[in-house]
Amino acid sequence: MPDFAMLNNVDHQDLRVITERSSRYGDNVMLAMTFPFEFRNVQAHYPILFQGDGDGGYYPVALFGFQQEENLFLDESGWHAAYVPAMIQRQPFLIGFQEQPGADRTRVLSVDMDHPRVSTEVGEPLFQPLGGRTLFLENAADLLETIYAGIAHGKAFVGAMRDHDLLEALTFEITLKDGSTNQLIGFHCLDEEKVQALSGETLGEFNEKGYLMPMFMALASLANIQRLVELKNQRLDVESAR
């Protein structure tokens, strides 16, 4: 269970964060939530799909593998893609909220003290000797603020896609070199034909709201499903050679 604590330079002066990419630090994940602000970078490597949120809505995800705890971009030597999605980068940090009597809640930087990246011996220091934030922590805080803003924009983006009936259920069966199959079930993707049929007025509205580029980036990203198949086959070859 996560143990989030509000970060401060007294209790956490000696805290460090390990930045190495490895399964032992929780990077062996099948997918991660993603946001329109990073779709351009994400689509260069990963398929962007949409997953149900349990309340009838959807959120975009970057897909790394075909089964739980499978990240086809990760091996013993690290994460092999030029861009790591923001929700992976931000670990072990999270934005928390502090109640202020007679005032609105204020956002604070929190850290998961039980996360395997947290250490007092190795990794990037969070605070300077006199208590100031290190550049590493400042960059982490900036990323969290970007994510915080990206959540609202992402919800609006997905809402617009749904309002125009652009999401379709995706059932994808993949046959691998060894004859085994993998299925993608429970995901949605953008319907390219419906996107192409959008009116100029709608496209203009999407552009004004910052939805147009992410929409096309999500469509383009679907070509990366074949890349995942290739990576899966390569992994099977390595395993069979052992």
Side-chain angles (χ1 to χ4, degrees):
M1 291 290 291
D3 177 22
F4 284 102
M6 289 186 292
L7 199 60
N8 65 79
N9 60 4
V10 176
D11 298 324
H12 308 120
Q13 175 65 44
D14 298 327
L15 225 58
R16 293 173 174 265
V17 168
I18 299 167
T19 57
E20 176 187 346
R21 294 290 161 197
S22 170
S23 59
R24 64 180 175 272
Y25 301 126
D27 292 327
N28 56 326
V29 290
M30 174 184 174
L31 53 80
M33 184 178 183
T34 184
F35 307 93
F37 73 79
E38 63 175 347
F39 277 11
R40 181 187 290 273
N41 290 322
V42 170
Q43 67 83 33
H45 306 283
Y46 320 104
I48 298 171
L49 304 178
F50 297 83
Q51 190 171 46
D53 61 9
D55 295 319
Y58 299 90
Y59 59 92
V61 297
L63 190 70
F64 312 136
F66 297 119
Q67 58 194 48
Q68 295 299 318
E69 298 186 359
E70 179 180 70
N71 184 342
L72 296 170
F73 297 89
L74 187 73
D75 63 20
E76 295 175 357
S77 62
W79 189 306
H80 300 285
Y83 182 76
V84 176
M87 285 297 281
I88 301 294
Q89 292 184 50
R90 63 94 185 165
Q91 295 172 350
F93 302 106
L94 192 72
I95 286 182
F97 294 91
Q98 188 173 36
E99 300 291 343
Q100 298 287 348
D104 294 335
R105 294 188 305 170
T106 57
R107 295 195 297 276
V108 294
L109 189 59
S110 299
V111 61
D112 179 5
M113 298 297 294
D114 285 342
H115 198 282
R117 291 192 177 281
V118 174
S119 173
T120 56
E121 299 175 355
V122 295
E124 294 287 341
L126 305 185
F127 295 101
Q128 299 175 17
L130 297 181
R133 289 182 174 185
T134 61
L135 180 60
F136 173 80
L137 185 55
E138 288 288 358
N139 289 337
D142 289 344
L143 177 63
L144 285 173
E145 286 296 330
T146 302
I147 290 173
Y148 184 78
I151 290 173
H153 184 252
K155 287 182 178 179
F157 170 79
V158 174
M161 300 301 102
R162 293 190 67 192
D163 289 345
H164 289 81
D165 194 29
L166 299 179
L167 295 180
E168 65 173 348
L170 174 71
T171 300
F172 199 80
E173 185 169 288
I174 301 146
T175 301
L176 300 171
K177 289 172 66 175
D178 65 355
S180 64
T181 60
N182 286 105
Q183 286 187 327
L184 284 180
I185 301 174
F187 294 98
H188 284 66
C189 65
L190 290 179
D191 186 322
E192 185 171 353
E193 289 186 3
K194 290 182 178 179
V195 169
Q196 291 178 344
L198 290 173
S199 68
E201 180 181 1
T202 299
L203 292 173
E205 291 175 359
F206 280 6
N207 188 46
E208 290 176 2
K209 295 178 179 178
Y211 304 157
L212 190 61
M213 185 63 74
M215 181 177 68
F216 287 124
M217 292 295 101
L219 276 176
S221 77
L222 297 179
N224 290 321
I225 292 177
Q226 181 57 39
R227 175 59 177 155
L228 283 183
V229 174
E230 293 170 359
L231 290 172
K232 181 72 170 180
N233 279 326
Q234 289 173 15
R235 184 156 298 188
L236 290 173
D237 287 341
V238 171
E239 291 173 354
S240 65
R242 288 176 179 173

